[in-house]
Amino acid sequence: MSLGSRQRAVGKSQVHLTPRWILDPLGQFDTDPCASEPRPWPTARRHITARENSLAMPWDDFGRIWLNPPFDTRIVGEFIRRMIAHDHGTALVHARTETLWFQPMFDAAAALFFIRGRVGFHKPDGSRCTTAKGVPSDSGAPVVLIAFGPSDADILATCGLPGKFVPLALPRSVLALAVSGTWRDELMAWMRARRGPVRLADLYEAFRDHPKARGRKHYREKLRQVLQRGPFERTASGEWRAA
């Protein structure tokens, strides 16, 4: 079964797609080696389906990977091994820390992010997965995001998703991100100190060398995302203030 199904190790094939509220804060991925066809929304620039069999391909040119592997104990370990060797991207798996397929990630991954509560997955048409009785179903077990490589650890540390970030083997710069305030906290403090509307251009310049923006090509997009989620108000085109 795929990750979103109930707690059976092996079963008939099902498709359970990651909801947008998890994917969107994680930024752009280059390749999804376990993509669905059809799919209600893109998970990466390149989608490789089960028919194409990504395990039979070299992963050298996959770039940053989004991996939501089929949760079949016969093959999930192989996807994890390939992800460890590639070491660039983020995986979503059950938090089965006692299993043989999970344990290698404690030494190989850069960070973990345990998502609070159970996750509701989606069908290829975009609708919520349900039980046989039509009741909305969940992941059947806790879900964890696994960062491979420091850049993905940085993203998990500042993604704003509900849950807990746990660094494993990170450089000091990323550890500093993990213990500092959230993007929302930092942005709120900076804007309140100015006591009035601020231009986006000034905001970009102020945060250009901020520890949270260091090494992030898309920090401006992150700032705009935080502004839109509040508590901030747009007072004019390209101008915002703290609510």
Side-chain angles (χ1 to χ4, degrees):
M1 283 199 171
S2 59
L3 181 59
S5 49
R6 289 285 176 176
Q7 301 178 37
R8 279 189 285 167
V10 178
K12 63 181 181 180
S13 176
Q14 294 187 29
V15 176
H16 293 73
L17 306 180
T18 309
R20 292 292 300 269
W21 66 265
I22 292 179
L23 282 168
D24 289 348
L26 302 181
Q28 180 67 61
F29 291 93
D30 297 310
T31 305
D32 180 349
C34 299
S36 168
E37 183 62 50
R39 67 189 72 88
W41 45 73
T43 52
R45 292 188 178 94
R46 178 184 181 187
H47 300 90
I48 302 175
T49 64
R51 177 175 51 82
E52 297 168 293
N53 188 11
S54 62
L55 290 178
M57 302 177 179
W59 287 24
D60 298 347
D61 64 345
F62 279 14
R64 185 180 179 228
I65 289 175
W66 167 253
L67 179 68
N68 178 355
F71 195 67
D72 180 332
T73 56
R74 298 168 298 189
I75 60 173
V76 65
E78 181 58 29
F79 278 105
I80 296 302
R81 285 190 288 273
R82 297 293 292 273
M83 192 68 170
I84 289 173
H86 187 71
D87 198 32
H88 186 194
T90 297
L92 183 151
V93 296
H94 279 147
R96 297 298 196 194
T97 58
E98 81 283 5
T99 61
L100 292 177
W101 61 262
F102 192 102
Q103 291 170 12
M105 293 187 284
F106 283 123
D107 295 322
L112 311 175
F113 190 98
F114 291 91
I115 296 179
R116 185 179 297 124
R118 299 287 177 89
V119 174
F121 288 83
H122 293 262
K123 301 175 185 178
D125 63 3
S127 63
R128 175 77 180 268
C129 290
T130 60
T131 67
K133 296 182 179 180
V135 178
S137 61
D138 58 44
S139 51
V143 169
V144 60
L145 295 168
I146 315 287
F148 293 88
S151 61
D152 275 74
D154 177 0
I155 291 170
L156 288 191
T158 59
C159 66
L161 290 170
K164 184 67 175 179
F165 175 76
V166 181
L168 295 178
L170 304 176
R172 290 183 179 179
S173 60
V174 177
L175 286 172
L177 288 170
V179 300
S180 63
T182 65
W183 275 100
R184 177 184 176 277
D185 293 339
E186 298 290 329
L187 190 54
M188 179 64 76
W190 188 88
M191 293 182 73
R192 281 182 172 169
R194 276 131 191 92
R195 298 183 179 179
V198 297
R199 297 185 307 147
L200 271 176
D202 294 334
L203 196 60
Y204 295 154
E205 181 62 25
F207 276 79
R208 182 168 58 87
D209 295 320
H210 190 279
K212 284 190 173 296
R214 195 171 300 140
R216 290 187 68 139
K217 294 181 180 179
H218 305 294
Y219 81 94
R220 295 186 178 189
E221 289 85 344
K222 182 63 179 180
L223 286 172
R224 292 197 298 271
Q225 180 186 70
V226 175
L227 286 171
Q228 291 163 3
R229 291 182 175 180
F232 305 97
E233 295 178 352
R234 186 165 65 176
T235 57
S237 179
E239 187 176 273
W240 293 76
R241 70 178 180 87

